Amino acid sequence: MADSGVVTVYGNGAALTEPPKKTTAFSVKVGLAQMLRGGVIMDVVDAAQARIAEEAGACAVMALERVPADIRAQGGVARMTDPALIKEIKQAVTIPVMAKARIGHFVEAQILEAIGVDYVDESEVLTPADEHHHINKHNFRVPFVCGCRDLGEALRRIREGAAMIRTKGEAGTGNIVEAVRHVRSVMGDIRLLRNMDDDEVFSFAKKIAAPYDLVMQTKQLGRLPVVQFAAGGVATPADAALMMQLGCDGVFVGSGIFKSGDPARRARAIVQAVTHYSDPEILADISAGLGEAMVGINLSDSNVERFAARSE
Amino acid sequence: MAVGVLALQGSFNEHIAALRKIGVTGVEVRKPSQLEAVEALIIPGGESTTMAKLAHYHNLFPALREFVSLGKPVWGTCAGLIFLANKATGQKLGGQELIGGLDCTVHRNFFGSQIQSFETELAAPKLAEQEGGSDRCRGVFIRAPAILKAGPGVEVLADYTIPSDKLRSVASDTEAEEAIAYSQGKVIVAVRQGNILGTAFHPELTSDTRW
């Protein structure tokens, strides 16, 4: 009787108890992100740009409709990229393709997973869909990358299932100051934590509003338990090398490449800068004659919207 | 003995950490001159396209080829395996440069995109014979390649039977299909030829240090 009815009852056998989804082990997701280590991930808006990025040696591309600088300039609500465009970019390159979903918009993430993107970036650059909750990333097989400004925020995202962390920085400004602030904050807190007595960790975890087990794990490892990239404002090879020397595992470059005078050369130079970040002679070599860099935005202007403050 | 780890991009830190665990010094290799100081080399996982580009910028290919041809021990995981193969399919437009030396054909990204990545148990009896321990090992496959054809001089250390539900997502060009049909759904995932070792999966991400 209950089997044939159109009205679903609650409890056992009802529509609410969905079969358990097939999820990828968190260790595999973290492993995937580790393969991106020492690499550069570039924002691209079409297949031609994706090819330039691949030729330059990017380890992944981020498929977007508008780069952050344009989102800033044009305003309006920024949403997930058209799946058709993402598919086109996937066809064009062999390296992994990432795409952004709005914060808390788990259906956008489901769509991105369905079309087979390699990573989802739950990003503050797009207009947030939920002001209080992030996506429960454990429900997905695809790995997620999330932004953070400090250690507490990073560990909260990891607890939600993020397999990779990036600094928020201030996307689309070509100004590295915020990314430096965020990396310094995370690294500084980790250094503080390492020197801390075990008894003090409980109160520290409470202060930064992060789960105790992850705080303890971070203390033992001496670093975040997942790879940490820099993002938001990287425009030159020197910026990229700065982020690497501050302790990041790799770099996202958004508007910095395709908003500059000679994208192919700049892309290649930034890739090399990330590999040889501690060798000033090579850095000097590759920084020479790159043409015009993107126009930067001074963050002390009062009319600049702060993307980084859009989520906690 | 110093073991070099090619540190252009990818999981080189994990390899160095694994080497430290077994008491061997790992050295990061980024320039041709650094290759002269090491007796063996590990080429880590990562994006093979990216690594080939970077190696090309810094003129590493001639030095790497010489290193392999001298018969010094070399081990490639995932992207490193692609590097060492004589032939790779499923490449980007325009192809990519390879070091070569290992007589086999490797299919790049054979197992499909990121969400098809998986962790599994592999049977590796030959590994147990030499290094002891269990004859099973954990294999972490991440956008992994697979070996479609291996030459007569190549010893197969492990293979993997593709479960029928995965057949849909693996590579579907003609060469890949022929190879799958020929081997009845099995692909090779670990090989050795002389001093060259190649694995399609990532032992450096697990606690198994036998490889």
Side-chain angles (χ1 to χ4, degrees):
Chain A
M1 165 64 198
D3 291 345
S4 56
V6 271
V7 181
T8 39
V9 283
Y10 294 104
N12 285 341
L16 283 179
T17 54
E18 280 179 59
K21 280 189 193 143
K22 195 183 155 241
T23 54
T24 310
F26 189 62
S27 63
V28 174
K29 287 190 196 166
V30 175
L32 315 170
Q34 264 165 357
M35 294 306 130
L36 297 176
R37 266 257 174 93
V40 180
I41 299 161
M42 301 180 191
D43 283 1
V44 298
V45 297
D46 56 39
Q49 288 190 354
R51 288 280 304 136
I52 293 175
E54 183 181 41
E55 283 302 323
C59 69
V61 290
M62 174 81 72
L64 292 171
E65 259 162 15
R66 295 182 286 174
V67 292
D70 290 336
I71 294 176
R72 241 174 227 290
Q74 296 163 5
V77 174
R79 309 184 182 88
M80 177 186 79
T81 309
D82 183 343
L85 177 65
I86 298 173
K87 280 186 185 159
E88 193 188 312
I89 290 174
K90 256 183 83 77
Q91 292 263 310
V93 294
T94 62
I95 53 178
V97 176
M98 300 186 170
K100 287 185 196 292
R102 281 180 268 178
I103 287 174
H105 204 314
F106 49 84
V107 175
E108 281 189 351
Q110 286 164 3
I111 292 170
L112 292 174
E113 184 177 62
I115 59 173
V117 301
D118 294 299
Y119 297 83
V120 175
D121 183 2
E122 187 180 15
S123 177
E124 71 284 353
V125 174
L126 304 185
T127 315
D130 189 327
E131 290 186 332
H132 300 289
H133 307 283
H134 279 70
I135 298 171
N136 179 357
K137 293 166 273 285
H138 291 294
N139 287 342
F140 292 83
R141 282 178 301 152
V142 63
F144 277 74
V145 47
C146 285
C148 77
R149 286 168 298 172
D150 51 41
L151 182 61
E153 200 174 351
L155 295 179
R156 286 197 292 279
R157 294 295 89 77
I158 295 170
R159 172 46 77 233
E160 289 159 5
M164 180 176 174
I165 288 292
R166 59 174 170 78
T167 60
K168 282 182 169 173
E170 210 41 81
T173 59
N175 190 339
I176 196 75
V177 64
E178 287 299 308
V180 170
R181 189 196 317 281
H182 300 157
V183 176
R184 284 257 184 224
S185 164
V186 171
M187 295 301 175
D189 275 353
I190 292 176
R191 278 188 286 270
L192 196 70
L193 184 60
R194 286 190 79 173
N195 290 321
M196 204 174 275
D197 188 88
D198 278 2
D199 298 359
E200 294 162 353
V201 175
F202 297 98
S203 145
F204 182 74
K206 189 176 131 193
K207 196 183 98 198
I208 65 169
Y212 170 76
D213 55 335
L214 284 178
V215 176
M216 207 54 199
Q217 197 186 355
T218 306
K219 177 174 164 61
Q220 278 154 4
L221 292 170
R223 55 157 297 142
L224 287 179
V226 300
V227 288
Q228 182 193 3
F229 269 53
V234 178
T236 67
D239 288 348
L242 171 69
M243 300 317 285
M244 294 301 286
Q245 288 201 23
L246 284 172
C248 290
D249 298 318
V251 172
F252 281 84
V253 191
S255 323
I257 288 173
F258 291 100
K259 285 281 159 195
S260 73
D262 187 348
R265 261 191 90 184
R266 183 165 294 267
R268 206 171 77 183
I270 292 179
V271 169
Q272 284 176 283
V274 168
T275 304
H276 299 279
Y277 63 88
S278 51
D279 194 332
E281 277 165 25
I282 294 185
L283 291 177
D285 229 24
I286 56 181
S287 300
L290 289 181
E292 217 171 309
M294 75 178 279
V295 184
I297 295 175
N298 190 343
L299 286 167
S300 45
D301 284 353
S302 59
N303 54 358
V304 177
E305 189 185 359
R306 294 298 187 110
F307 288 168
R310 280 169 159 184
S311 74
E312 291 292 313
Chain B
M1 187 177 94
V3 175
V5 179
L6 194 65
L8 294 173
Q9 193 264 322
S11 61
F12 51 87
N13 276 337
E14 287 72 15
H15 271 293
I16 289 173
L19 287 171
R20 201 179 303 128
K21 241 187 274 174
I22 53 172
V24 177
T25 324
V27 185
E28 293 185 12
V29 175
R30 290 198 173 90
K31 292 181 191 166
S33 57
Q34 291 166 327
L35 267 179
E36 288 159 19
V38 297
E39 280 128 70
L41 181 70
I42 295 176
I43 306 176
E47 277 309 314
S48 63
T49 317
T50 307
M51 283 166 55
K53 278 282 157 203
L54 283 164
H56 181 70
Y57 293 154
H58 296 283
N59 245 334
L60 267 167
F61 275 107
L64 286 169
R65 286 203 189 99
E66 193 193 323
F67 193 88
V68 174
S69 63
L70 286 174
K72 294 187 184 173
V74 184
W75 173 27
T77 60
C78 194
L81 165 69
I82 300 171
F83 255 44
L84 289 170
N86 278 347
K87 190 170 169 232
T89 59
Q91 298 183 4
K92 75 174 170 68
L93 234 60
Q96 68 193 45
E97 214 169 334
L98 303 171
I99 300 171
L102 196 59
D103 182 18
C104 57
T105 304
V106 173
H107 194 291
R108 226 188 146 271
N109 260 356
F110 178 80
F111 291 103
S113 74
Q114 207 69 274
I115 54 174
Q116 265 89 36
S117 296
F118 60 101
E119 196 180 338
T120 185
E121 287 273 324
L122 288 171
K126 285 192 179 137
L127 172 69
E129 257 169 47
Q130 282 168 16
E131 301 284 333
S134 147
D135 63 350
R136 319 279 297 169
C137 69
R138 295 299 290 171
V140 181
F141 290 81
I142 296 170
R143 286 168 53 91
I147 299 161
L148 299 181
K149 268 185 237 145
V154 179
E155 185 185 5
V156 176
L157 297 179
D159 53 22
Y160 173 69
T161 310
I162 308 161
S164 51
D165 62 322
K166 275 226 171 68
L167 269 176
R168 238 167 4 106
S169 61
V170 301
S172 55
D173 51 86
T174 37
E175 226 170 316
E177 271 169 7
E178 269 170 30
I180 296 168
Y182 177 73
S183 62
Q184 287 143 13
K186 270 190 201 169
V187 288
I188 305 165
V189 293
V191 290
R192 187 173 58 196
Q193 176 187 353
N195 267 337
I196 308 175
L197 175 68
T199 53
F201 49 95
H202 295 275
E204 79 273 17
L205 295 180
T206 64
S207 51
D208 200 336
T209 51
R210 293 178 296 167
W211 287 100

